[in-house]
Amino acid sequence: MSVDCVKTITEILNEEKWTRATLNNYSINNFKELDSLIKLAYEDEVQLEVKDLCDEHLTHTKNSIVALYISGMLGLRRQLIDDTNLVLLITIFADNHKWNIVEFLCKSILEFGENKYALRTLADCYTNENEEEKKFEVWERLIKVDYEEAEIVKILAEKREAAGEIEEAVELYKKAIHRFINKKLFSSVKEIWAKLIEYSPEEVDFFNHVDRKVSTIISDERASQLLEDLYSYYKKEANWTRCIDILKEILMYDSKNAWARKEITEAYRAKFSFHSQLEEYIRLSNLNQSWRNVHDAIADFEKHISFDVGSFVSHKSWGIGKIRKISGDEIIIDFVKKREHKMSLKMAVNALTSLASDHISVLKVRKKKDVLKNKLKSDVPWALKIVIRSFDNAANMKQIKAAVVPGILTPGEWSGWSTQARNILKEDPVFGNHPDKIDVFMVRDKPISKEEKIYNKFKAEKNFFNKIKAIDDFVKTCDAESDFFNEMFTYFANLMKSYTVANEQVVASFFVVRKLVDQFPFLNSSDFNLDFLDMIRNIEDLEAVYVGLDNSDIRRQFLIALKQLEDWPEIYVRLFPKAMTTAIIDELAGSGYKDKIEELFISVADRYREYRETFIWIVKNYITEKWCNKHNVSYEKILINMIHLLDITFREISDKRDVSDNRRLNKQIHTYLIKDRNIEEYINECDQDSVNRIYTLISDVKDLDVKFKQVLKKLIKSRFADFKFYDEETSKNEAKASVRGLLVSSVALTAKQKELKHIIEVEIPLNSKEIGAAIELGDLSENAEYKAGKERQELLQISVGRLQEEIDKAQVVDRSTLKSDKITFGIRATLKNNISGKTETFTIMGPWESDPAKNIISYQSPFAGELLGHIPGETLKFTINERQYDYSIEELAVAEF
């Protein structure tokens, strides 16, 4: 059947005699017949062969209608970007005025999704056929996918305006003005700006946003011109506050603008016409004197003008006060605890801060606490408006808390209230994020739309991967045909266009763009390459890029995409030590590479010191005794490695090396070995030799809780009544003869006392502050900072208890009292290794001074236990952990300590 399909198309191509002269005889039915052949090609799974056949035919017959149509439609089905063949085909029929066929071809393309060329041509088709309404309907679709089209948007806005549909017209004018700004067509921008002033002059945030955009893309001068037009409207309305704000913006663009300086002086006169000191304050600030910096003059005037009878002020020592009287240069103020206080105007301006009557600090003085608390709890939006405006309309959650806790709400009440407040700040359109600070909130003059709110958050966000979260949120909750969406999408698309080295941001952008193009095909463009294999060639450090992908979904997509490479299993194994994700293991297992997993696990276990975090992760998530038995791996070896790492992390914490990371790993190991009872379960099942090896290592971890060691001893005794515990042998260990003490040097004791003091006086208070700061964030159930702080608090308390107990037991050894006649605490022993023939030197000290790397060993260790009490000339043979030792004691001396 497939042979017949290919043969039929080949014959049609060879027999094709159509020329421009015969196009008039071509009908829609001819294309429908070709559609049947395309369907047949798919059924016979020869579509690629057919496309190659048509493409080859076009190399020598470039205007072949059949080849153009079949190749173009097959390309559409495969979502290929290149639609050249269909564009050429439509052009041929449009040039010959075959509008019915043009319409058919355009609609055929649009069945596969919106297409800018097809929509534009279809609109032209309807224009030629005088079908105006259909043209407008197509234009409505076109402007949703062609973000650069501005003139048609303007035409549609004028159509809605003429029909009296003002609200719809305004939305279209808004869309058009953004697009004309991008095209730098200022005359069109100015025309639409006038329309928007006429129909929606109160949209302050919108005008501010547009003006800033004009300043950035076109020029400050043009932005200033627009503001002058807006100022004229508000001046007619006598909205002096808004007039002043606009004039300040104009003066920010050009501080030498004499017209704006004159106008702002008059606007202040109009706004504060009731003020008793108006003209005096204008004179003092030199507001109308061109020689003084206009911004300094404005700041001075606004500081002075806020002082009037009845106004509220704040002093850092005397608190809130109310101005009772102003007489010449003297101000009389009633503070809560300092009535009728007199100050000069100059001193007042410098020492006092003017407050609005609804400032939160003023309300706390004017209203009873229980009344204000009830108001805050019953009307959270009102409270947020009051507090945010009290911080000059820009406040973060820390500032909001400082304003209401503990003056109004208790810390406990804050936790629930702040959770509700965060939700309102996120969802309520009255609130928005500061354009430059993502964690700072503002109160809007007019409610902001959901899409603009997310867009503003996107723009203010400094973290790249949080921008991805913002665009994901936008797609889920807003209209993707919005120009705001286009600006966000363009941000990621531009990263795709202009890179030389593919870092984590480029890779993440690749997956963001690919996902959005799949969801909205009209976004597809030849401007960016969505071929993963092309991109991966430009990645210099694959492991670093993967670790840098701070988005779990993108990491997963990246791993799946890597499977396009022939050596992907090896790449997965290479990534794993840095990635540590079940996704890698699952993909390898699901694809039949269990041998790779086994090799990976065994390799990491063998190099557990180098890959300590990876080893711990594998043990926690995958290693069980059953797994070890199945893969011929020693479970005891796994446990021994974990014990070694427990000891290593304890030592490094004590030495102040990578303390945060070591604490985290130490906690994970402790949980696995002790809290999850894996050590106890193994000891309860293994033979006595294994118990001896495990317990010997556990007993040598000096910072491990003594209570746990006692639990293990009790368990071991219940199984092996005659079990010999090295740490309980007193015949060979003089130090252990006294259960009351722990032998230490004076230097070590001083160091431990300092460590204890540092924890109590520095680390614990600092941790308490961190917990307090975390509580301020609210919602403790999902507060990672709070949980981490509490875990740290627990570890610090354990450390304090352990150190205090050890210090209480410490007995300082006086070096001057020691003799070198036998091996004991403080002795340096020179031994001959009778197995290797080499001479080795060991210094016997306490657990605090122990440093095995320098052959300084604890008198409590099994090795030291075999040496203690022996004298020069003796030969010692003993076994520890299945290792044979044979030493002769050559020389003893008192060590330096």
Side-chain angles (χ1 to χ4, degrees), residues 760-775:
I760 293 172
E761 296 182 359
V762 178
E763 294 192 39
I764 289 178
L766 179 61
N767 173 248
S768 298
K769 287 183 180 179
E770 290 172 349
I771 291 174
I775 291 173

Side-chain angles (χ1 to χ4, degrees), residues 38 45 71 128 132 157 179 189 270 272 282 393 462 500 554 567 572 629 674 697 723 729 824 858 889:
I38 293 171
E45 298 181 355
S71 175
N128 283 284
E132 288 294 297
R179 296 182 181 187
V189 171
F272 297 106
I282 290 175
N393 200 27
K462 300 296 187 289
T500 52
I554 288 176
D567 60 341
Y572 272 29
N629 293 334
I674 298 170
L697 289 170
F723 189 87
E729 289 186 354
T824 184
S858 169
I889 304 175

Side-chain angles (χ1 to χ4, degrees), residues 386-438:
I386 290 293
V387 175
I388 292 171
R389 284 172 174 154
S390 297
F391 286 95
D392 294 327
N393 200 27
N396 58 30
M397 287 304 292
K398 188 174 183 179
Q399 291 170 311
I400 293 171
K401 181 179 182 181
V404 300
V405 177
I408 305 172
L409 300 176
T410 66
E413 290 170 327
W414 164 260
S415 181
W417 188 90
S418 64
T419 300
Q420 188 178 353
R422 287 176 190 277
N423 290 333
I424 290 170
L425 289 170
K426 181 179 179 181
E427 301 296 336
D428 193 327
V430 169
F431 302 99
N433 297 94
H434 190 281
D436 299 318
K437 301 174 184 175
I438 191 66

Side-chain angles (χ1 to χ4, degrees), residues 313-321 335-338 351-353:
V313 293
S314 172
H315 188 275
K316 62 181 180 180
S317 299
W318 305 324
I320 305 300
F335 290 103
V336 175
K337 296 181 180 179
K338 197 176 182 70
L352 303 179
T353 301

Side-chain angles (χ1 to χ4, degrees), residues 170-211:
V170 166
E171 290 305 311
L172 287 168
Y173 277 131
K174 286 181 181 179
K175 191 185 291 284
I177 199 169
H178 280 294
R179 296 182 181 187
F180 280 123
I181 293 170
N182 291 337
K183 291 175 177 288
K184 298 185 179 181
L185 297 176
F186 182 72
S187 60
S188 298
V189 171
K190 197 171 190 307
E191 180 185 352
I192 296 173
W193 178 272
K195 289 283 186 181
L196 291 170
I197 292 174
E198 178 183 354
Y199 292 123
S200 58
E202 301 303 324
E203 294 205 39
V204 176
D205 293 322
F206 172 80
F207 284 113
N208 287 341
H209 175 67
V210 169
D211 188 70

Side-chain angles (χ1 to χ4, degrees), residues 560-620:
I560 293 171
L562 284 173
K563 293 181 72 175
Q564 298 176 46
L565 303 173
E566 290 184 7
D567 60 341
W568 72 267
E570 287 73 21
I571 293 175
Y572 272 29
V573 170
R574 204 170 80 231
L575 283 176
F576 185 80
K578 291 189 177 181
M580 290 181 295
T581 170
T582 56
I584 286 179
I585 305 301
D586 293 345
E587 286 290 338
L588 287 170
S591 300
Y593 289 98
K594 292 184 179 180
D595 58 324
K596 293 284 185 186
I597 299 172
E598 183 176 335
E599 290 173 16
L600 171 64
F601 284 10
I602 293 172
S603 172
V604 171
D606 288 341
R607 302 165 67 184
Y608 70 95
R609 290 174 184 266
E610 179 184 354
Y611 293 125
R612 61 176 70 176
E613 185 165 5
T614 308
F615 174 72
I616 294 167
W617 188 92
I618 290 174
V619 172
K620 281 173 49 189

Side-chain angles (χ1 to χ4, degrees), residues 234-245:
Y234 281 106
K235 186 176 182 180
K236 289 177 184 176
E237 295 294 314
N239 185 337
W240 302 115
T241 299
R242 184 70 185 119
C243 281
I244 290 166
D245 288 341

